[in-house]
Amino acid sequence: MATTEDIPAFGLLHGYRVVMIGLSVAAPFAAELYAEHGADVIWIENPAAPDMGRFSSFGGSTQQDRRNMRSLALDYLHGDGRAAFLSLIATADVFIEASVGGRFEHHGLGDEALWKVNPGLVIAHISGFGQTGDAVYVRRASYDPIAQAFGCTMRMNGIPGHKSVPAMCFPGDYTSAFYAFSMTLAALLKRTETGKGESVDVAQFEGLIRTQANYPTNYWRFGKDYVKEGSHSLICALYGTYVCGDGEEVYVLFLGPGVLKRGLPLIGLEYGSDLFPEGAGIIPYGSPAGAVAEAAFAQFLAAHTAAEVEDILANGGVPCSRLMDYEAARANEHYAARGVVDTWKASDGTTDILGVKVVPDLARNPGRVWRGAPAIGQDNEDILHELGFSDDRIAALYAAGQLARRDYDHSFKDPETEGRAGD
C-alpha cells in the first residue's frame, strides 16, 4: 500500500496527479510515462474484471507498463463508487481513458460534467475511431491491429505477393499513447495561462496515418500509391535485410553520398567509377549498378558472420545492425553501458522483475522505478482515506461489490509453474 507521502520526490512531473482508466496498452503506457517521471498515477481497475494484461503473456505488459502506479479497484459508474471517482477527479491534473468513442459521455461523465467538478482537468480520450465523426465508426470497438487495418498501415507490412500482416509491436497503441502524453503535457502548459483544462481526442487510426511520412500525400496529390517492399527497398540497392555467412541477419542502408564513399570500398567496389559516380547518393535498385552492388555484397556477406559484417560496416560509417534478440541485447556491451536492462521489485516485495529502464535519460531530473506494478486494488484504502472516506464508507463499498482488493498478483510469475491468478 502507498499513500501520496510514500511517493518519492523525483523527476520532471512530481506533484502532478494522473487518473487512468484503460486496458491493454495505449492508456496505461501514456499514464506510465507520467509515473516514470514522478507523477502520482492512480490506475482505476474494474473490481469484477481486472486488467487482462495481468494474466496474458506472463503479465509482462503489466509489470513493464504499470510500474510506479497506485491501484484503485473501483466501480466508478454507480452509487458511492461514482462519488468516489468524482472526488478523485477533483484532485487530478490529468485524466486518461481508453474506450469506445462516446462511452464516458453516455454514462454522464463527459468532458463538461468532469469540468464542473474540476475546471482545470486535462482529459485524454483514446479510442480506435475518435469521439466525433460518423456515428457508425465512433461506436466501433478497436484494438491495435484494427487501427492498423483502417489507418492504411497493415497493407504496408509483409512480403509482396502474400497476405498483409500487422506491424509489431503495437504501433497504433504506442503512437496513441505518445500523442496522449505529449498533448496533455502541452495542455498543462496552457493551463498555467488560462486556468482551464483541455480535452484531447486521440483516434488510433489517425495517429497511424499521420505517421506515414510522404506516402499519403504522394497518393492524394500525384496518384502514386505505396508498393509493399517486404524486406528490401524497391528504390535503393544495398538497403534491406540480408543473411550473413553464419545464417544470422543484418539490416543495412547504403544511402547518401558519404555512406557510399565510405562503404563501397569495404565491399570491394570503387566509388567515383562510372557505375558509382562521385556525388551519387543512392544506387538505384534494379539498375546495372544495383545488380553489381548486390552481387558484390552477396560475396562479402557469405565470407563473414553477422557480427563481423556489423563491425566492418557500422564502424566504417555504414548504417548497419545485427537483428538483435532479447538474449543478445542483455549480453550487449552498449545495452549494459547504458543500463537498458533494469531490475525492480514486484508487488510481493521480493520477486525481481527484469525489464527496460526508464527512457530517455535526463541529466538533471531523471525518472526512476520506485515501485513495481501494484496488485489489484492494493491502494484502495490509502487513496480513499486521502479523499476523506471513512472506514465505514469504504467498508460499505466493499460490501456492495463496488470496491475490490486481491492481495495476490501472479502477473510476475511463470504460469507454467505458478498457475494463473485465482487457481
Side-chain angles (χ1 to χ4, degrees):
M1 298 174 67
T3 66
T4 303
E5 288 71 25
D6 293 325
I7 301 172
F10 70 94
L12 294 170
L13 298 173
H14 176 70
Y16 287 97
R17 171 170 285 179
V18 178
V19 176
M20 184 273 289
I21 298 175
L23 303 173
S24 192
V25 176
F29 186 68
E32 176 68 15
L33 294 172
Y34 276 97
E36 290 177 352
H37 294 282
D40 174 18
V41 176
I42 297 174
W43 166 25
I44 297 182
E45 294 187 77
N46 185 330
D51 190 331
M52 57 194 175
R54 291 186 178 276
F55 312 121
S56 61
S57 302
F58 303 96
S61 66
T62 299
Q63 291 304 318
Q64 183 74 61
D65 289 349
R66 278 77 158 172
R67 56 192 183 182
N68 287 3
M69 295 186 186
R70 297 196 287 165
S71 172
L72 175 63
L74 175 75
D75 175 359
Y76 60 90
L77 294 178
H78 305 101
D80 210 22
R82 187 184 183 96
F85 171 69
L86 291 174
S87 295
L88 181 60
I89 285 295
T91 71
D93 297 287
V94 179
F95 173 50
I96 301 171
E97 68 89 11
S99 61
V100 172
R103 181 176 185 273
F104 276 77
E105 187 73 41
H106 172 74
H107 287 289
L109 295 172
D111 296 343
E112 295 298 333
L114 297 181
W115 283 329
K116 286 183 179 179
V117 174
N118 183 349
L121 182 68
V122 173
I123 303 164
H125 298 288
I126 303 174
S127 63
F129 297 91
Q131 303 298 308
T132 64
D134 189 312
V136 172
Y137 285 91
V138 170
R139 292 194 297 266
R140 287 185 176 181
S142 179
Y143 280 101
D144 179 275
I146 303 303
Q148 289 192 47
F150 191 73
C152 306
T153 298
M154 193 178 297
R155 73 188 188 102
M156 305 173 86
N157 294 286
I159 303 300
H162 295 267
K163 291 180 179 178
S164 299
V165 297
M168 292 296 285
C169 248
F170 316 127
D173 282 332
Y174 284 110
T175 298
S176 297
F178 282 122
Y179 270 118
F181 177 63
S182 62
M183 295 311 298
T184 53
L185 284 176
L188 288 174
L189 289 174
K190 190 66 175 178
R191 190 182 70 175
T192 63
E193 300 176 14
T194 66
K196 295 181 180 180
E198 180 60 271
S199 180
V200 182
D201 179 3
V202 180
Q204 285 179 307
F205 85 92
E206 289 180 340
L208 286 172
I209 198 165
R210 175 61 184 84
T211 53
Q212 288 174 25
N214 56 295
Y215 296 112
T217 298
N218 285 354
Y219 182 78
W220 291 330
R221 186 178 181 191
F222 302 111
K224 184 176 176 57
D225 203 1
Y226 177 84
V227 177
K228 189 183 297 183
E229 293 189 349
S231 61
H232 195 293
S233 169
L234 299 181
I235 299 173
C236 303
L238 306 183
Y239 184 155
T241 306
Y242 293 88
V243 179
C244 301
D246 59 354
E248 297 296 317
E249 294 175 307
V250 296
Y251 201 93
V252 177
L253 288 84
F254 278 71
L255 186 63
V259 172
L260 293 182
K261 183 176 182 177
R262 293 187 297 268
L264 288 178
L266 298 175
I267 63 173
L269 298 175
E270 181 185 356
Y271 185 72
S273 64
D274 290 341
L275 280 176
F276 311 109
E278 188 81 28
I282 68 168
I283 305 171
Y285 184 72
S287 68
V292 170
E294 292 285 351
F297 196 41
Q299 292 182 355
F300 172 80
L301 293 168
H304 296 90
T305 66
E308 292 169 342
V309 170
E310 181 186 61
D311 182 60
I312 294 168
L313 295 184
N315 292 322
V318 178
C320 173
S321 177
R322 284 171 288 165
L323 272 62
M324 303 285 280
D325 60 21
Y326 297 131
E327 188 57 38
R330 180 162 59 175
N332 181 267
E333 59 273 19
H334 191 55
Y335 273 78
R338 289 186 61 84
V340 176
V341 182
D342 197 3
T343 304
W344 61 90
K345 295 296 182 184
S347 60
D348 63 357
T350 59
T351 301
D352 285 335
I353 301 295
L354 273 73
V356 180
K357 69 171 184 177
V358 175
V359 298
D361 292 345
L362 295 173
R364 293 180 172 175
N365 298 279
R368 58 179 282 196
V369 179
W370 66 274
R371 186 191 207 201
I376 300 163
Q378 181 173 336
D379 307 292
N380 288 346
E381 287 84 357
D382 285 333
I383 294 169
L384 292 175
H385 280 147
E386 289 175 355
L387 297 175
F389 277 58
S390 66
D391 288 337
D392 288 344
R393 196 174 175 188
I394 294 172
L397 284 169
Y398 277 116
Q402 292 188 278
L403 196 64
R405 186 176 68 195
R406 305 183 187 186
D407 294 326
Y408 62 79
D409 183 1
H410 290 272
S411 69
F412 51 84
K413 304 296 186 180
D414 183 343
E416 294 181 3
T417 59
E418 298 289 341
R420 296 291 187 182
D423 287 354

